[in-house]
Amino acid sequence: MAIDTKRMIAEKLFEILEHKKIDHVTVKYLVEYCHISRQTFYYHFQDIMDVLEWGLQQALEHDLERTLAAEFPREAIGIFVGQTLRRREAVQMLLNSQRRTEFERMLLDGMRTFLRELFRRKNPNPQLPVADVEMMLDFYVCGIAGLLMLHCGRQDVSEEVLVDQIYRLLSGEMQRCLVGEADLQRGT
């Protein structure tokens, strides 16, 4: 019951964020929107940003499980990109708010946790030094999050095209075309 209430509060917040900046969302507004008491809200959360952070974590955990169950890498990328684009209005409201920095930190932290766990489950015994794994995570977290935030602001984005482009970036296909296969093999 408690987890259902938490989930409902988070879902309602994301609904609100599709048409209202988080700067203008108060606990009073959210509890009225949810038809719950303030006491119920404060039993589960400290404040609005706590709801946002919990909701993001839950969404990423759900996406991780779906991604791991995907049969093909392109399908896994599509799950993540699709979920983000479906919430593009909320993402834009958060990016255009005074809480942008907090939201970006939450998004980057959540994506880092997501990618670290994905990497750990897909590759339990990496042949890379820990410092290289951390650098790779930094690169992918910033790159993917940056692309998603940028493309959430565009109305003409094709989900299918974006998924394909991210897949080709991650697979190295674009790099091979840009640099040339021979240069990649020589390391130049």
Side-chain angles (χ1 to χ4, degrees):
M1 173 86 164
I3 197 74
D4 291 338
T5 302
K6 284 184 86 159
R7 186 174 297 115
M8 181 271 299
I9 294 168
E11 287 172 1
K12 295 293 186 181
L13 177 62
F14 281 102
E15 282 178 22
I16 292 167
L17 292 177
E18 290 181 11
H19 56 82
K20 190 174 187 150
K21 284 186 183 178
I22 198 161
D23 307 327
H24 302 170
V25 179
T26 63
V27 171
K28 181 181 181 200
Y29 184 86
L30 182 56
V31 298
E32 288 173 1
Y33 192 84
C34 293
H35 305 290
I36 59 172
S37 69
R38 289 176 71 86
Q39 181 179 2
T40 299
F41 177 86
Y42 285 115
Y43 176 78
H44 296 289
F45 298 106
Q46 294 177 13
D47 57 24
I48 297 293
M49 293 308 285
D50 192 28
V51 179
L52 178 64
E53 188 164 18
W54 187 85
L56 283 172
Q57 288 171 348
Q58 294 302 300
L60 288 169
E61 285 175 20
H62 177 70
D63 289 349
L64 176 64
E65 296 308 317
R66 291 182 57 217
T67 298
L68 289 169
E71 200 169 336
F72 303 104
R74 194 175 259 127
E75 178 187 353
I77 294 166
I79 290 166
F80 197 75
V81 170
Q83 286 295 95
T84 305
L85 291 179
R86 278 186 268 300
R87 294 288 191 187
R88 73 171 16 127
E89 290 84 8
V91 171
Q92 275 308 113
M93 285 291 188
L94 287 160
L95 290 173
N96 292 329
S97 75
Q98 294 175 5
R99 303 273 187 151
R100 179 186 180 118
T101 303
E102 291 172 81
F103 171 65
E104 286 176 343
R105 180 199 50 81
M106 286 178 200
L107 185 61
L108 293 173
D109 289 349
M111 187 167 292
R112 174 175 276 285
T113 301
F114 172 87
L115 289 176
R116 178 178 278 124
E117 185 62 17
L118 182 64
F119 182 69
R120 186 188 68 73
R121 290 193 196 180
K122 291 285 187 180
N123 192 358
N125 299 311
Q127 301 301 310
L128 291 172
V130 172
D132 289 352
V133 170
E134 291 303 313
M135 178 59 76
M136 179 185 67
L137 284 171
D138 288 343
F139 182 79
Y140 287 134
V141 164
C142 292
I144 294 170
L147 284 170
L148 292 175
M149 286 188 286
L150 179 68
H151 287 276
C152 276
R154 299 179 179 164
Q155 294 303 315
D156 62 340
V157 172
S158 163
E159 182 177 326
E160 187 176 310
V161 170
L162 184 57
V163 167
D164 182 62
Q165 289 172 324
I166 291 173
Y167 172 78
R168 290 185 296 123
L169 275 169
L170 295 175
S171 71
E173 181 182 328
M174 285 187 181
Q175 184 181 10
R176 285 189 295 278
C177 291
L178 180 67
V179 178
E181 194 69 40
D183 289 339
L184 278 175
Q185 290 174 356
R186 285 194 309 266
T188 58

